[in-house]
Amino acid sequence: MISEEEEIEEKPNVEYAYLPSNYFTESENEEDDKAQQIINEYNSKIKLPKIFGENIPELNDEIKQKIYNIYINKYNPNSPQENNNNIKSSKNPSIPMSHVVRFYHTKKTSINALDIDNSNNRLVTGSSDGTVKIWDFNSLTRRPKSNHSVDCSEEKDFPVVSVSWAPSGGFFLVCTESAQAKVISREGVEEISCLKGDNYLVDIRNTKGHTYGLRDGKWHPLEKNVFLTSSADSTLRLWDIYSKQLGIDSDIAHKNIFKVKTLKNKKIPINSCNFNRDGKIIIGGVNDGSIQLFTTKSYLPQIYIPNAHENNSEISSIVFMENNRNFYSRATDNTMKLWDLRKYTKPIKIFDNLPSKSYKTEICLSPDEDYVLTGTSVIKSKNKKNIEGEYSKVKIFSTVSHELINSYDILPNSSVISLKWRKKINQILVGTDNGYINIYF
């Protein structure tokens, strides 16, 4: 049986960071010799740390394409050469999609969540196999390996659904489909676990923790000790890491609880949750297609938007803009929508034809909020023909004109799920459903 390390040796898991210097060692072809010279010059100028922080030497499109084609032919012969929109300079130079470093979290798993700390030094990724991995950019090598790996599945195959760094960067939140969220240190040590509520209590307000599996979680944008979780028990809950620890396991109880409106008071999962930018508003995307908003002190929703998305579609992501009035929502009804809290009865804009088969497909805003990004899935119809082409995509729209700015092919027969665009290093991080982490710069 081939080990993962042996398979990496056969087919490098880092794409387009740099190229093998001995590719054409035995070649007698003049064109290959020229390409080899280009590769050697390119490799001599680029060091891996620069990819994660500093500017790399600019190469014209012709040289980039030449190098790219050589690389793809060697290590990925099934990729068509004409699929080159990951190599050509983007139409807008402020969009960092001209180069990519690609590596595995775990093969054949879904990267349901990723986040990078405020110092831009550590990346955390969470996958459907229940593992969380921490990557230190300062110590990455040609074949990246995580610095720490944590199994959060509790031996019950619970997938990770959300990870979120605390503003301090000292620890991060992990939510799996168990009922208990965990706080993990940057060194991979579990620091805090949340209490599981009592399923037999009739009044859910008397429970001290979630009674059903989690669906999402976010750290407070400003408060370093407060985070939010949402669950299949129809509640959102605020937690404080400095709360009194209870029981034998020293778990903490929630600080506040919020109950969404549901038909006939049935329990419906709240698939996504978030804060607005100042942390005064809490929002939840419910699996009946509704979006519901709370203040941090209200038990019931202050704003209720029924049928925000199709009934029974899973609202996978909600993101507020800096003005705290507008927000975007994404769902498995293959749409993304823009809303305004001043006129929330219908969306300002509907972005359709965005196929999504993942309940965790994210939305991401550019640091200057000029663009909004989301990923798509390759979905096969009944006649087994792919919809929207054979490649998953990252689609970038203007937040002003709402027009499609660009569409980038990511990987064949896959889904783009997690997305982040970091300001200081100007890089776009993409997680897919086949275990790849992609860093674009």
Side-chain angles (χ1 to χ4, degrees), residues 335-387:
T335 67
M336 178 175 68
K337 298 184 180 182
L338 172 62
W339 303 85
D340 190 326
L341 288 181
R342 296 169 297 183
K343 299 178 181 180
Y344 57 82
T345 53
K346 62 180 182 179
I348 297 174
K349 173 67 178 178
I350 299 176
F351 305 83
D352 53 13
N353 298 319
L354 300 171
S356 172
K357 63 182 181 181
S358 171
Y359 68 118
K360 297 309 298 178
T361 304
E362 285 193 318
I363 301 167
C364 172
L365 287 165
S366 63
D368 56 10
E369 295 196 347
D370 286 345
Y371 309 108
V372 59
L373 292 68
T374 192
T376 68
S377 303
V378 175
I379 301 177
K380 291 186 177 181
S381 59
K382 293 181 180 179
N383 60 6
K384 297 183 179 180
K385 289 184 178 180
N386 291 337
I387 299 174

Side-chain angles (χ1 to χ4, degrees), residues 117-180:
D117 67 358
N118 286 335
S119 67
N120 298 299
N121 289 328
R122 292 212 171 186
L123 168 70
V124 59
T125 57
S127 79
S128 57
D129 66 357
T131 62
V132 167
K133 293 190 177 182
I134 306 169
W135 313 77
D136 190 334
F137 285 166
N138 294 321
S139 62
L140 286 184
T141 63
R142 180 178 178 180
R143 297 182 179 89
K145 293 183 179 180
S146 62
N147 297 78
H148 306 282
S149 181
V150 184
D151 185 2
C152 299
S153 65
E154 300 180 8
E155 299 180 354
K156 297 180 180 179
D157 297 326
F158 290 126
V160 175
V161 295
S162 179
V163 294
S164 180
W165 279 100
S168 65
F171 29 76
F172 57 89
L173 170 69
V174 178
C175 296
T176 68
E177 286 191 2
S178 74
Q180 296 176 273

Side-chain angles (χ1 to χ4, degrees), residues 205-307:
R205 283 179 291 188
N206 293 328
T207 61
K208 297 181 179 181
H210 288 294
T211 57
Y212 285 57
L214 301 175
R215 289 295 181 267
D216 200 7
K218 295 289 188 296
W219 211 281
H220 194 285
L222 301 177
E223 296 186 31
K224 63 180 182 180
N225 56 309
V226 176
F227 60 88
L228 171 71
T229 57
S230 67
S231 167
D233 64 6
S234 297
T235 70
L236 304 103
R237 303 182 191 232
L238 275 181
W239 309 78
D240 190 324
I241 61 174
Y242 299 131
S243 296
K244 182 180 179 180
Q245 295 180 343
L246 305 172
I248 298 175
D249 297 326
S250 299
D251 298 333
I252 61 171
H254 69 252
K255 177 182 176 182
N256 296 91
I257 182 173
F258 313 91
K259 174 73 170 62
V260 297
K261 289 183 179 180
T262 59
L263 184 64
K264 297 181 180 180
N265 208 31
K266 291 183 177 180
K267 286 183 171 62
I268 299 179
I270 306 170
N271 200 58
S272 56
C273 65
N274 213 337
F275 294 96
N276 71 339
R277 295 300 183 90
D278 60 14
K280 295 180 179 179
I281 295 175
I282 291 170
I283 189 167
V286 189
N287 279 9
D288 61 359
S290 69
I291 294 176
Q292 306 187 32
L293 293 92
F294 305 77
T295 66
T296 54
K297 296 182 180 179
S298 61
Y299 173 66
L300 295 175
Q302 302 299 296
I303 295 178
Y304 174 63
I305 310 174
N307 303 314

Side-chain angles (χ1 to χ4, degrees), residues 53-72:
E54 305 172 15
N55 294 326
I56 66 170
E58 284 296 325
L59 299 176
N60 62 48
D61 288 345
E62 181 181 356
I63 294 178
K64 289 179 185 178
Q65 190 59 55
K66 179 75 174 178
I67 295 175
Y68 177 73
N69 289 341
I70 294 167
Y71 182 80
I72 288 299

Side-chain angles (χ1 to χ4, degrees), residues 20-27 32 36 39 70 73-75:
S21 59
N22 60 347
Y23 179 85
F24 291 110
T25 301
E26 301 177 358
S27 173
D32 287 351
Q36 179 65 63
I39 291 172
I70 294 167
N73 290 338
K74 173 69 175 176
Y75 292 110

